[in-house]
Amino acid sequence: MLPKYKRILLKLSGESLMGENSFGLDPNVIAAYAQDIKIITDLGVQVAIVIGGGNIYRGMNEQETGIERAQGDYMGMLATVINGMALQSGLEKIGVYTRLQSAIKMEQICEPYIRRRAIRHLEKGRVVIFGAGTGNPYFTTDTAGSLRAIEIKADVILKGTRVDGIYTADPEKDPTAKKYDTITFSEVISRSLKVMDMTAFTLCQENNLPIIVFDMNRPGNLLRVVTGDAVGTLVK
């Protein structure tokens, strides 16, 4: 079985790590994700990962939290490092060599983000997890994922979600919503479909970086995507 993509960036939401919980981390989800990632690294796929922090802290609404936006964003960045450490632990438990790099320096627990070092880790077969977003407030982890994917010259961004692609409407709310198998960047914008925030999306569009949105919670889907099966929705 030959992979279609040599180097990928996997973007996961923090909420996906909660499983059925309302907060925090579900060890079963982490173990399942780690197993799926190990399968594709065994094929020779180079894997970089960006995880959100919404399962621990969401700092977007200043009026509700009473915490100013910039401060809240930094708190969210720390949450992404916690998630990165959890996934790193899950991967190393099953024998996958992993490096956690942070855009905010915290040398005791992870390396600082250095582009060339990240690429070298990938070339050596290590999974690289990028924590702390871009290191700047007012940018989402979607933007961090797009930026890191472009910097490391990834072939594709794989956005793992709870739904199996992009639909005309929210399939969890509208049963008549229809799924797109393939869609262009301009169509996503003209139809106001929420794939990523616009900063992240525009970065991908300008750099011709395709995005595949797929259901990460279905075992084996990640393998199917990287080997070229028509899973989820391709944005190109």
Side-chain angles (χ1 to χ4, degrees), residues 153-187:
K153 294 181 165 55
D155 299 320
V156 65
I157 291 180
L158 305 183
K159 182 163 182 177
T161 64
R162 295 182 301 178
V163 293
D164 61 339
I166 301 168
Y167 285 76
T168 51
D170 187 341
E172 294 179 348
K173 296 175 183 175
D174 184 355
T176 65
K178 292 182 179 178
K179 180 187 162 194
Y180 297 102
D181 292 324
T182 306
I183 192 168
T184 65
F185 286 105
S186 56
E187 284 176 315

Side-chain angles (χ1 to χ4, degrees), residues 11-17 33 50-55 83 160-161:
K11 171 64 176 68
L12 300 172
S13 70
E15 286 89 342
S16 67
L17 299 184
Y33 283 6
V50 170
I51 315 174
N55 57 321
N83 285 339
T161 64

